């Protein structure tokens, strides 16, 4: 969906730039205006243009030009031969976009799952997918790298476990580039790239504003949002600083019901009275963003930036359909949006990213250097009692756990975790003049990222002999460090063959390294693993196998020993070619062949073999068209993508994620978006996508001796472990999970004069079709499908001069939309108790804002 908007009477091109900040900061910024404004120049060009707009004839129906930087140079959106959807600042504000989930429903090529920091199943991290390139089960701390790159301005914000969920305030636009973008954006852009572009410091004039929002969830609590920004010109208008702040409380609406659970083996009854409460899933967030701009001699600009956020979240994002089921060991109480958990669940998520962009001229070439450093620390805790209950119910699990006196104890587990992320990246690139017939963008990229992992699986009162040495009550300890390094040289060359025909070729040559080392597993007293070869033993059994007596062990970051230390390296290249034909000044068509890749890596269970890199090849034809003197825009693309040896993540033994290469898949699709200025005061926008994403070969679940995924596994086949299988785990033609066959959004906005100001009403609809949860047939039989849903959002408002008031109703019909589903352990080995994350219930809100 494009960012173009109707130029209407009384509407500023800046839009309502203001929304919410910590109130004290907003007031301070507002009253600071006169002092800073004394040295300010007259209104900026943007404000001058907005003033002129007021005098336009009411019958004018035009759409503003949108400038994007998707190809790492400034271009008109309608001239960029990429399947590119853009949400501009006006549209982001009009649709009350505050988080990833808000804008994902407006961009059909995007699908997503959510998982909190560490082991917590709440807000914090986002797993992003594009064009159906998804196998499910991602987001593990030692899982595959993401297949979609997320950027804040020029800086990557994607970590292994998922991308930062940036608070969407004072944002210039969101660019969603569908299809492989690997030549310009690298390994994490296998299936596409999402770029969040912030509003930059403006030396030409002072600007500031604030907003206050209150909202109430049907059947839940009351939340609020406070936001604000200030833009301050300095040093005779050759420099500026832009400060942004926000504080919000996300109210809860999932209840943790009071109740009991009886464990079959021991008859022990657990009671969750200490943790039961209504509106359980709350989150409190505060953040700041500061950017400066220094213009040096009209040829160089330096823009340092710092963004930091702290979020404290509680409760579960999912609801449990079995909370009233005796089969799950619960008593008879029941809640439709509820869980029944027995241990603390929280996430304390703190991060900052420092960045600097240097832009300048060397001759008539543009030189850009981008640096970023991300540091993120997440302390979390999670209830893991489902795992203990189902293993007890199915395999007598509870009989193995006792205290130091030999008495059976409650076998329920709970987890505490501490995750530390660091990521440092550099990019240096050179771009030739854009008006040349031959144009070049070329550069170097290098980054290092690490993840320090601590997960402590605890059973209260566990005997010392069953606890990992030095870790009381710990049945399982994960203490690992993961490192990923990327180095690349990239380039893209464009040449105008004629005035209407342009050719473009690009490539990226890369070197990647992934390593994982540390300790994972049980205490020796729980499992000696004497039946396994020494090289396959883990936990304290692995310490004995490698080092002998405990006196010879060398502790690793507090863990008993270093069980494994593995790494993989790879070099390769990917390419892109494009041909664009300009029919006239308002219409073009293009054809693209492009490649994307994702590096391989080491499995979390270090005794398993590594997984290999996977590659995506894209064949695409698209169009960008404008009609009716610019009042109607219709863009689209059709494509076929072949996904080779794709990485498939699933819960394996002991509930640990395992990654295997799962053979081949093919995705066919169509994407369209339109913007129509129907009248001077009515605008209609829509985006729609159809996908057919399926396996193009059987998935059997193991590799052949040559390292390729096995595809021939009829019933009766014996796998490498000596097991007789009943056939492929997922047959050729199976639909890939997560992405629906159809997804679309439609929005109508009508503005009109009301008294001394301007009023509007708006209606938005978003739809997603039925989706699989898991690739495999047996798991799908238990987990089922996510149902199709349609969400409707309504809003209305009035503004006069710099003041505005908005009332909105999100999920107006209180639709129980199923967004994702997960379980604590594998359904076939650990019982069937899935959790479904549903859309937030109907939410009524009111927002007051003012510009300066």
């Amino acid at each position: 969906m494009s960012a173009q908007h109707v130029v209407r009477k009384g509407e500023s091109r800046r839009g309502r730039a203001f929304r919410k900040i910590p109130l004290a900061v907003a007031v301070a910024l507002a009253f600071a205006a006169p002092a800073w404004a004394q040295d300010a120049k007259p209104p900026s060009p943007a404000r001058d243009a907005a003033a002129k707009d007021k005098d336009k004839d009411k019958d004018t129906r035009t759409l503003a030009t949108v400038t994007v930087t998707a190809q790492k140079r400034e271009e008109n959106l309608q001239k960029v031969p990429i399947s590119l959807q853009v949400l501009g600042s006006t549209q982001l504000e009009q649709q009350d976009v505050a988080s990833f989930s808000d804008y994902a429903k407006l961009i059909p090529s995007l699908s997503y799952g959510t998982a909190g920091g560490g082991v917590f199943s709440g807000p914090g991290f986002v797993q992003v997918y594009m064009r159906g390139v998804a196998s499910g089960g991602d987001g593990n701390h030692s899982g595959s790298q993401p297949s979609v790159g997320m950027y804040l301005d020029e800086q990557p914000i994607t970590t292994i476990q998922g991308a930062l969920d940036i608070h969407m305030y004072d944002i210039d636009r969101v660019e969603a580039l569908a299809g492989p973008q690997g030549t310009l954006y690298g390994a994490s852009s296998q299936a596409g790239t999402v770029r969040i572009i912030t509003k930059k410091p403006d030396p030409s004039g002072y600007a500031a504003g604030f907003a206050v929002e209150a909202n109430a969830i049907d059947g839940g609590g009351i939340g609020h949002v406070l936001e604000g920004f200030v833009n301050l010109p300095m040093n005779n208008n050759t420099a500026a600083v832009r400060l942004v702040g926000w504080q919000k409380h996300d109210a809860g609406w999932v209840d943790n019901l009071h109740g009991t659970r009886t464990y079959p083996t021991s008859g022990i009854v657990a009671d969750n009275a200490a943790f039961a409460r209504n509106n359980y899933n709350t989150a409190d967030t505060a953040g700041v963003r500061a950017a400066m701009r220094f213009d040096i001699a009209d040829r160089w600009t330096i823009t340092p930036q710092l963004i930091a956020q702290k979020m404290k979240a509680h409760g579960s994002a999912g609801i449990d359909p079995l909370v009233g089921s005796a089969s799950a060991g619960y008593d008879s109480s029941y809640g439709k949006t509820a869980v029944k958990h027995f241990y603390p669940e929280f996430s304390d998520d703190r991060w900052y990213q420092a960045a600097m962009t240097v832009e300048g001229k060397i001759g008539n070439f543009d030189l850009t250097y981008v640096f970023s450093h991300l540091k993120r620390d997440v302390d979390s805790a999670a209830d893991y009692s489902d795992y203990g209950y189902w293993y007890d119910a199915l395999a007598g699990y509870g009989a193995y756990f006792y205290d130091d006196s030999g008495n059976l104890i409650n076998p329920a587990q709970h987890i505490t975790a501490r995750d530390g992320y660091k990521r440092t990246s550099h990019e240096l690139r050179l771009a030739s003049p854009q008006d040349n017939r031959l144009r070049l963008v070329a550069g170097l990229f290098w980054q290092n990222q690490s993840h320090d992992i601590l997960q402590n699986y605890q059973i209260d009162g566990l005997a010392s002999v069953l606890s990992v040495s030095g870790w009381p009550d710990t049945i399982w300890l994960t203490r690992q460090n993961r490192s990923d390094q990327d180095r690349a040289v990239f380039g893209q060359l464009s040449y105008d063959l004629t005035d209407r025909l342009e050719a473009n070729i690009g490539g990226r040559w890369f070197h990647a390294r992934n390593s994982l080392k540390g300790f994972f597993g049980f205490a020796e007293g729980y499992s000696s693993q004497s039946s396994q070869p020494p090289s396959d033993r883990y936990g304290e059994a692995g310490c004995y196998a490698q080092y002998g007596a405990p006196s010879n062990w060398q502790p690793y970051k507090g863990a008993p020993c270093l069980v494994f230390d593995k790494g993989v390296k790879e070099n390769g290249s990917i390419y892109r070619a494009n041909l664009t034909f300009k029919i006239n000044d308002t219409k073009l068509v293009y054809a693209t062949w492009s490649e994307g890749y994702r590096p391989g890596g080491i499995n979390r269970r270090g005794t398993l073999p590594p997984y290999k890199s996977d590659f995506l090849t894209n064949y695409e034809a698209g169009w960008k068209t404008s009609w009716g003197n610019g009042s109607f825009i219709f863009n689209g693309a059709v494509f076929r993508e072949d996904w080779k040896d794709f990485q498939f993540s699933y819960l394996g033994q002991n509930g640990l994620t395992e990654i295997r290469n799962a053979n081949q898949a093919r995705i066919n699709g169509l994407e369209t978006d339109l913007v129509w200025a129907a009248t001077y005061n009515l605008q209609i926008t829509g985006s729609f996508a159809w996908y057919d994403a399926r396996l193009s070969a059987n998935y059997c679940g193991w590799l052949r001796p040559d390292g390729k995924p096995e595809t021939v596994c009829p019933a009766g086949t014996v796998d490498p472990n000596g097991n007789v299988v009943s056939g492929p785990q997922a047959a050729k033609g199976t639909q890939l999970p997560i992405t629906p066959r159809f997804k679309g959004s439609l929005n109508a906005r009508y503005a009109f004069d009301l008294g001394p100001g301007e009023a509007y009403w708006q209606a938005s609809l978003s739809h997603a079709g039925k989706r699989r949860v898991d690739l495999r047939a047996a798991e799908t039989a238990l987990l089922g499908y996510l149902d199709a849903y349609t969400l409707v959002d309504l809003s209305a408002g009035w503004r006069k001069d710099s003041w505005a008031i908005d009332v909105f109703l999100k999920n107006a019909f209180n639709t129980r939309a199923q967004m994702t589903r997960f379980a604590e352990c594998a359904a076939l080995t650990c019982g069937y108790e899935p959790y479904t994350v549903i859309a937030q219930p109907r939410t009524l809100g009111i927002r007051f804002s003012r510009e300066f």
Side-chain angles (χ1 to χ4, degrees):
M1 188 178 296
S2 302
Q4 290 94 338
H5 58 280
V6 181
V7 179
R8 298 191 304 264
K9 177 180 178 182
E11 182 176 30
S12 167
R13 288 188 186 273
R14 281 179 180 255
R16 288 187 293 276
F18 250 95
R19 294 237 251 246
K20 317 149 195 160
I21 196 177
L23 188 57
V25 178
V27 173
L29 295 180
F31 283 97
W36 286 94
Q38 290 176 0
D39 297 326
K41 287 184 176 180
S44 67
R47 290 185 181 274
D48 291 340
K52 293 177 182 178
D53 289 342
K54 294 182 179 181
D55 298 326
K56 286 184 177 286
D57 185 88
K58 279 189 174 184
D59 292 332
T60 301
R61 292 182 295 161
T62 58
L63 296 170
T65 299
V66 177
T67 300
V68 297
T69 53
Q71 297 191 109
K72 302 203 173 183
R73 57 165 82 232
E74 291 190 353
E75 299 172 285
N76 181 343
L77 168 65
Q78 289 301 107
K79 307 297 184 183
V80 180
I82 295 176
S83 181
L84 171 62
Q85 294 174 293
V86 179
L87 304 176
S89 60
T90 299
Q91 190 172 0
L92 292 171
E93 293 163 6
Q94 289 176 351
Q95 303 257 17
D96 193 38
V97 171
S99 64
F100 176 85
S101 60
D102 290 332
Y103 65 80
K105 66 185 179 183
L106 304 175
I107 301 175
S109 61
L110 281 180
S111 299
Y112 69 99
T114 58
V119 296
F120 175 70
S121 61
F125 290 81
V126 177
Q127 283 84 56
V128 188
Y129 310 97
M130 296 188 80
R131 285 190 167 178
V133 182
S135 60
D138 299 307
N140 183 271
H141 59 66
S142 294
S144 304
Q145 286 200 29
S147 63
V148 173
M150 293 284 292
Y151 282 75
L152 180 68
D153 295 319
E154 297 280 352
Q155 303 88 38
I157 55 171
T158 306
T159 62
I160 288 120
Q161 203 160 339
L164 301 177
D165 191 357
I166 298 292
H167 181 68
M168 300 296 292
Y169 173 65
D170 198 47
I171 301 298
D172 185 68
R173 65 186 183 275
V174 174
E175 299 178 3
L177 292 67
Q181 307 297 326
T183 52
L184 288 182
Y185 292 97
S188 290
S189 294
Q190 179 190 46
T193 300
V194 178
R195 305 177 71 234
I196 301 169
I197 311 299
T198 62
K199 293 184 177 180
K200 303 301 188 294
D202 181 3
S204 67
Y206 169 85
F210 71 92
V212 180
E213 176 186 312
N215 54 70
I217 301 174
D218 191 348
I222 296 176
H224 69 262
V225 186
L226 308 170
E227 296 174 322
F229 83 94
V230 62
N231 184 86
L232 308 170
M234 301 182 298
N235 195 29
N236 295 321
N237 295 5
T238 62
V241 61
R242 194 176 192 95
L243 305 174
V244 185
W246 58 89
Q247 189 277 325
K248 65 175 183 174
H249 172 70
D250 294 320
W253 45 274
V254 175
D255 298 335
N256 189 25
L257 299 181
H258 175 228
T260 61
R261 191 173 210 174
T262 303
Y263 288 83
T265 299
S266 63
I268 291 174
V269 178
D271 192 305
N272 73 342
F275 304 104
R277 69 173 185 268
N278 293 334
N279 304 330
Y280 188 46
N281 57 325
T282 61
D284 290 278
T285 306
V288 295
R289 190 173 75 240
M292 300 188 71
R293 172 178 173 141
F294 301 95
D295 294 333
I296 304 172
D298 295 328
R299 291 182 64 86
W300 292 88
T301 299
I302 301 175
T303 309
Q305 183 184 82
L306 177 68
I307 180 172
Q309 181 172 287
K310 175 181 174 64
M311 182 182 69
K312 190 67 176 287
H314 295 87
S316 171
I319 60 174
D320 184 352
L322 300 185
V323 292
S325 170
S327 66
Y330 294 128
D331 59 12
S332 59
S333 59
Y334 177 75
K336 291 186 177 180
T337 55
V339 295
K340 193 173 294 182
H341 286 175
F342 296 80
Y343 294 95
E345 293 181 292
F346 68 84
S347 173
D348 186 358
D349 184 1
R350 310 164 308 279
W351 58 264
Y352 74 84
Q353 178 159 284
M356 182 175 68
T357 302
V358 180
E359 300 170 286
K361 291 280 190 179
I362 296 182
N364 61 351
F365 279 69
D366 296 319
L367 180 70
T368 303
Y369 168 70
V370 182
F371 162 82
S372 69
H373 176 71
L374 170 67
K375 187 176 187 300
R376 186 174 199 176
D377 295 293
V378 185
D379 298 325
S380 58
D383 182 291
Y384 205 52
S385 56
D386 292 353
Y387 182 93
Y389 172 80
W390 284 106
Y391 263 115
D392 190 25
L394 298 175
Y397 177 85
Y400 296 102
F401 302 109
Y402 48 86
D403 59 21
D404 284 329
S405 299
N407 300 313
L408 291 181
I409 58 175
N410 182 347
Q413 296 185 29
H414 58 101
I415 311 171
T416 57
R418 186 174 69 243
D419 294 86
Y421 304 87
K422 291 182 181 179
R423 177 172 186 160
T424 302
S425 67
H426 307 263
E427 182 172 316
L428 180 66
R429 69 176 183 269
L430 195 67
S432 65
Q434 192 167 348
D435 55 359
N436 287 356
R437 186 173 185 179
L438 179 66
R439 298 173 298 280
L440 170 70
V441 176
L444 305 172
F445 176 81
W446 62 105
Q447 73 170 5
N448 297 324
Q449 57 179 324
S450 64
H451 184 183
D452 190 54
I453 307 158
L454 169 62
Q455 292 189 352
N456 183 4
Y457 293 70
Q458 298 173 284
I459 297 177
D460 293 342
L462 188 65
S464 301
V465 69
L466 300 180
S467 301
V468 175
S469 299
W471 297 81
D473 296 340
T474 297
I475 180 63
W476 177 286
L477 178 68
T478 299
R479 190 72 178 98
Q480 298 175 338
N481 185 270
R482 173 172 176 167
S483 175
D484 288 78
Q485 299 177 356
D486 299 276
R487 307 287 186 268
V489 178
F490 63 88
Q492 185 164 291
L493 192 67
S494 302
Y495 182 69
D496 294 333
L497 299 171
T498 70
D499 290 342
R500 295 182 180 274
L501 186 62
E502 175 188 337
N504 180 295
I505 58 173
R508 191 178 190 96
W509 298 264
F510 61 85
H511 171 80
R513 183 181 187 275
N514 170 270
S515 65
L516 185 67
K517 65 179 181 179
F519 176 95
F520 70 99
F522 300 106
E524 169 67 10
Y526 176 73
S527 174
S528 67
Q529 304 171 349
S530 58
S531 61
Q532 297 181 2
S535 60
D536 290 339
R537 298 179 191 177
Y538 54 91
E540 291 192 354
C543 296
Y544 276 105
Q546 293 188 53
Y547 307 106
S551 59
N552 296 327
W553 298 358
Q554 297 294 320
Y556 175 78
K557 295 188 174 184
C561 76
L562 181 68
V563 173
F564 73 99
D565 184 354
K566 293 184 177 182
V568 292
K569 299 179 182 180
E570 64 179 327
N571 300 285
S573 59
I574 53 175
Y575 300 95
R576 177 182 186 271
N578 170 271
L579 199 62
T580 302
F581 180 71
K582 300 174 184 177
I583 300 172
N584 54 41
D585 289 341
T586 61
K587 300 174 183 62
L588 66 81
V589 292
Y590 68 87
T592 299
W593 170 85
S594 56
E595 295 180 308
Y597 86 104
R598 182 169 49 165
I602 303 298
N603 267 286
R604 175 183 180 185
R605 186 190 298 277
T607 55
L608 295 175
Y611 52 94
K612 303 185 304 179
S613 58
D614 56 5
F615 290 82
L616 183 72
T617 302
N618 175 58
Y619 309 88
E620 179 176 331
W623 62 92
K624 297 282 183 76
T625 65
S626 178
W627 306 80
N629 296 320
S631 64
F632 183 79
I633 286 177
F634 177 52
N635 300 335
V638 293
F639 65 88
R640 165 170 287 182
E641 294 183 338
D642 290 322
W643 195 11
K644 183 179 179 182
D645 295 339
F646 69 86
Q647 297 164 13
F648 175 50
S649 302
Y650 61 93
L651 291 177
Q653 184 183 359
N654 305 120
L656 296 185
T657 297
E658 299 181 7
I659 303 104
R660 308 274 186 175
N661 292 95
N663 215 21
Q664 323 297 331
R666 170 167 287 176
I667 303 103
N668 296 316
L670 166 66
E671 297 164 346
T672 63
D673 62 281
L674 59 89
V675 185
W676 181 31
T679 68
Y680 80 94
N681 56 357
L682 174 63
Q683 177 174 312
I684 297 173
T685 58
S687 294
F688 310 95
W690 293 262
Y691 299 112
D692 183 21
R694 298 180 180 275
L695 286 179
S696 52
N698 291 333
Y699 169 60
C700 296
W702 66 86
L703 301 179
R704 302 194 306 253
D706 62 2
K708 296 290 185 179
E710 181 60 76
T711 61
V712 181
C713 46
T717 301
V718 178
D719 68 18
N721 296 318
N723 301 314
V724 179
V725 300
S726 58
Q729 295 187 37
K732 178 180 178 180
T734 298
Q735 182 181 351
L736 298 183
I738 299 175
T739 302
R741 292 179 61 86
F742 173 77
K743 185 182 178 186
S745 67
L746 190 64
N747 178 78
R749 184 181 178 90
Y750 183 81
F752 55 95
D753 294 335
L754 181 63
E758 181 184 77
Y760 77 89
W761 61 258
Q762 179 174 274
S764 300
L765 178 149
S766 59
H767 175 85
K770 185 178 179 181
R771 293 139 289 150
R772 292 179 74 99
V773 177
D774 197 285
L775 179 67
R776 297 161 296 176
E779 280 72 10
T780 299
L782 290 175
L783 295 173
Y785 286 76
L786 296 171
D787 294 334
Y789 66 82
T790 301
L791 296 175
V792 175
D793 297 337
L794 304 173
S795 62
W798 183 82
R799 69 172 295 142
K800 180 181 182 297
D801 300 324
S802 62
W803 300 86
I805 186 168
D806 301 88
V807 179
F808 59 86
L809 190 65
K810 292 190 174 183
N811 193 2
F813 298 105
N814 211 19
T815 301
R816 195 183 177 96
Q818 299 176 352
M819 313 306 289
T820 61
R821 188 171 295 149
F822 64 92
E824 290 183 0
C825 52
L828 294 181
T829 59
C830 186
Y832 171 63
E833 190 161 0
Y835 291 79
T836 301
V837 178
I838 65 173
Q840 183 169 299
R842 180 169 47 228
T843 301
L844 176 65
I846 184 169
R847 181 176 61 253
F848 171 77
S849 60
R850 185 184 179 187
E851 298 178 356
F852 298 92

